[in-house]
Amino acid sequence: KKYSKKNSKKKKAGRNWRLTLSNILTLYHVRSGLGFTSIGIELDLFTEVFVTFKNRIEREGQKMLFVFIPDTTSIQRGGRRSLFPTSYEDFKPEVIKMVRSANVGILDFEEVLLSQKDPLSYIPFRGHGHFTEEGYALMAKSIKAKIREMSVQ
């Protein structure tokens, strides 16, 4: 066959697909997909610690604000969850549901970031890691606004 850019793109796409399929079929991901990970256990422990902490705060006569800070990968995916739950990020719906049922204020910083015109601009080099100075400033501003909102209620 004559070499062309079109054939080159097909080969690259095929190779990427195989790499993705290979990643999905690894034992780790198969086990995760079937629910054989320690994350479920960690979620139970998190719930136990959270409820204990909440009760202690309420005994002190204080209010609690839960701030969900997403992994930067979540922002890159536009908030979509992974096919196979492998991190706390993938259990966000369960965590938020548990926090709401405990009647605790919630600030979902993932929603705040995704509502921005360019969410990836708050991540250095639009990649992985911590937030930029502007990202942390947005987080602080959001927390301050949520605390004010909770004070009025």
Side-chain angles (χ1 to χ4, degrees), residues 50-63:
F50 178 83
V51 170
T52 301
F53 192 67
K54 176 194 177 279
N55 292 339
R56 185 172 185 181
I57 287 173
E58 287 179 348
R59 277 195 309 270
E60 300 285 330
Q62 303 297 316
K63 289 184 180 180

Side-chain angles (χ1 to χ4, degrees), residues 20-33:
T20 302
L21 183 60
S22 172
N23 287 338
I24 289 172
L25 293 178
T26 61
L27 180 59
Y28 176 76
H29 290 291
V30 171
R31 290 181 50 167
S32 297

